[in-house]
Amino acid sequence: MAESLLERFKEAATSHGEKTSAGDYKKTNKAYDRMIAAVRAMRQLPDRGQAILESLLTDPDASVRSGAACYLLPLNERAAIPILEEVANSKNPLISLDAEMVLKEWRAGRLKLLT
């Protein structure tokens, strides 16, 4: 089960990044919905998906790393923040802006994530 959740999240996060960069908001939203469905399923696991999300922090795709780090924040902030900072400082303007805003809102205490 965990392997399929990893693959579902990774596929959705990859698609989300590609569609965001392409400016296709309809497909971006569909990919986001698939990411959220995977995270909701992960939250039912004994570790709430922490191991899956941590394993994705080294993925070559910045969208996968950033997405995993975002949903890892309530479980392991110390592992998630450096990844979000790295993506925020990357050359991809839309993906980096997303990571920057996640960090800003998390630090301000305004970001509510699936827990």
Side-chain angles (χ1 to χ4, degrees):
M1 179 173 165
E3 185 67 28
S4 66
L5 288 175
L6 182 145
E7 291 304 320
R8 283 175 45 199
F9 183 88
K10 184 175 177 174
E11 180 280 323
T14 299
S15 179
H16 186 268
E18 290 169 355
K19 303 311 177 198
T20 296
S21 294
D24 188 339
Y25 74 92
K26 287 183 180 182
K27 289 184 180 175
T28 298
N29 290 343
K30 287 180 182 181
Y32 175 79
D33 290 344
R34 291 193 313 274
M35 278 179 33
I36 292 301
V39 171
R40 281 196 171 112
M42 284 182 215
R43 295 303 195 230
Q44 302 306 309
L45 298 172
D47 73 347
R48 297 175 28 217
Q50 184 172 343
I52 294 170
L53 295 169
E54 286 175 351
S55 75
L56 292 170
L57 295 180
T58 58
D59 193 89
D61 187 319
S63 297
V64 174
R65 289 193 312 276
S66 180
C70 176
Y71 292 102
L72 186 59
L73 279 168
L75 305 174
N76 186 350
E77 184 182 67
R78 292 175 66 160
I81 287 178
I83 301 303
L84 288 166
E85 289 172 340
E86 173 249 317
V87 174
N89 292 317
S90 71
K91 303 264 191 241
N92 186 323
L94 294 175
I95 305 302
S96 64
L97 178 63
D98 188 42
E100 183 181 332
M101 291 297 101
V102 165
L103 283 168
K104 178 182 176 185
E105 294 303 304
W106 179 257
R107 288 174 173 152
R110 294 186 293 258
L111 186 62
K112 304 297 180 224
L113 297 166
L114 295 173
T115 56

